[in-house]
Amino acid sequence: MRLAVPVLCASALAVVGCMADVEESTPPIPTGEIEQAWLFDPDFEVDFEDCREVANVGLLPTANARPLVPDQFTLVGENDAVTPFVVRTVHCDSVSVDGKLPTPGNIVQIGLLILAPEGDGDINNYTLYYDTSNLRLALRLAIAGVNANWVPTLHESLDEEADGSGDYKFKVPPPFQPRLTFAGPVGAPVGGPIPFVANWWRYSFGGTVKMNSTFPELFIADNDVVLKVPPGSPLANLIGATEVSDWPVLKLFDTFPSAHMVVTRD
């Protein structure tokens, strides 16, 4: 696999360069994280352990979504007035990229549901936003061609009751994008474990990136989490609203002991 190394370098440096204007509390960039081998092999793997997530699927105008998705991908609601979008937020006690440096981490992904390009996966999404508090993960994704942002101040919390239910909150603070809060009550696990496979996709620099995640066991529950975004923001313009509380396709709060992600670039 041969890639345009200078372009990928620029992508990775964008992750680092965008940190120049953040608030003083942002930790310094550990430049030792950038390994030369990454530039020649964008494929990598990630292990997640002891995690919880909220994954909700709502509907937005197809006319707003279509210009953001390359023609080789087909929206689930391609021929309808509305098409599904997904908001996924995750906290894991351990995130290990390339088998190294396991650390706690938070992630938010926002995308549009698409038909499975390769016929696999329980769900397939085209990636619009990917933020993570894990620097190594952000850099590896950026080099592979995903529009990933390193956001060290991502906030996630669960004020948990004895039965596993609780009050959930996830926040992307300024100046990072997409600014949002995703908060509300989540239920106690009522089902599972179930296996699940999710594919997230991104096209960039003439190539397609596939993020294939396998979840051996999901312990699932319901939620009443509300998404709030600033008026006039790109995400508000896409959704056509500043608040989403109706999730007619899916409302899921779950925990999973482990998951494995394989990232490949075509």
Side-chain angles (χ1 to χ4, degrees):
M1 181 183 300
R2 300 189 63 185
L3 298 170
V5 173
V7 175
L8 291 180
C9 288
S11 176
L13 291 175
V15 178
V16 176
C18 72
M19 296 298 101
D21 298 326
V22 302
E23 54 205 82
E24 294 180 0
S25 60
T26 300
I29 300 290
T31 54
E33 288 288 303
I34 304 174
E35 300 175 9
Q36 186 175 2
W38 293 358
L39 303 180
F40 300 96
D41 184 8
D43 299 353
F44 67 101
E45 300 185 15
V46 187
D47 287 296
F48 305 91
E49 295 184 358
D50 298 323
C51 307
R52 60 178 175 246
E53 71 173 341
V54 172
N56 286 8
V57 179
L59 298 171
L60 56 75
T62 304
N64 294 353
R66 184 64 262 180
L68 302 178
V69 180
D71 291 340
Q72 64 264 40
F73 300 102
T74 303
L75 294 169
V76 168
E78 188 77 32
N79 299 314
D80 301 323
V82 293
T83 195
F85 75 100
V86 58
V87 180
R88 175 182 185 249
T89 55
V90 188
H91 169 81
C92 293
D93 288 346
S94 174
V95 179
S96 177
V97 182
D98 299 317
K100 300 177 181 179
L101 301 175
T103 57
N106 296 324
I107 296 169
V108 56
Q109 294 170 259
I110 299 176
L112 299 163
L113 273 67
I114 57 175
L115 301 185
E118 297 180 349
D120 65 324
D122 296 300
I123 191 171
N124 284 262
N125 308 305
Y126 187 77
T127 306
L128 299 180
Y129 295 96
Y130 194 116
D131 288 357
T132 175
S133 61
N134 185 295
L135 174 61
R136 192 179 189 91
L137 178 57
L139 286 170
R140 287 298 261 141
L141 286 172
I143 289 172
V146 178
N147 56 332
N149 293 314
W150 179 51
V151 183
T153 52
L154 284 181
H155 171 80
E156 191 270 2
S157 64
L158 176 63
D159 190 4
E160 191 173 9
E161 302 292 338
D163 64 356
S165 64
D167 189 34
Y168 180 86
K169 185 174 184 180
F170 195 101
K171 182 177 182 180
V172 181
F176 301 102
Q177 295 294 331
R179 287 177 56 192
L180 62 82
T181 60
F182 201 40
V186 296
V190 294
I194 61 171
F196 194 78
V197 177
N199 296 322
W200 287 74
W201 302 80
R202 180 72 184 184
Y203 181 81
S204 61
F205 312 131
T208 300
V209 183
K210 180 181 182 181
M211 295 169 276
N212 167 256
S213 295
T214 301
F215 304 82
E217 295 180 318
L218 288 180
F219 296 86
I220 61 175
D222 195 6
N223 75 70
D224 288 307
V225 171
V226 176
L227 174 69
K228 295 183 180 180
V229 298
S233 66
L235 188 52
N237 293 337
L238 170 65
I239 296 170
T242 58
E243 182 174 314
V244 180
S245 57
D246 183 24
W247 306 96
V249 182
L250 179 71
K251 295 191 302 176
L252 180 67
F253 170 65
D254 65 73
T255 60
F256 51 94
S258 66
H260 185 71
M261 181 170 74
V262 178
V263 179
T264 53
R265 181 179 174 88
D266 180 7

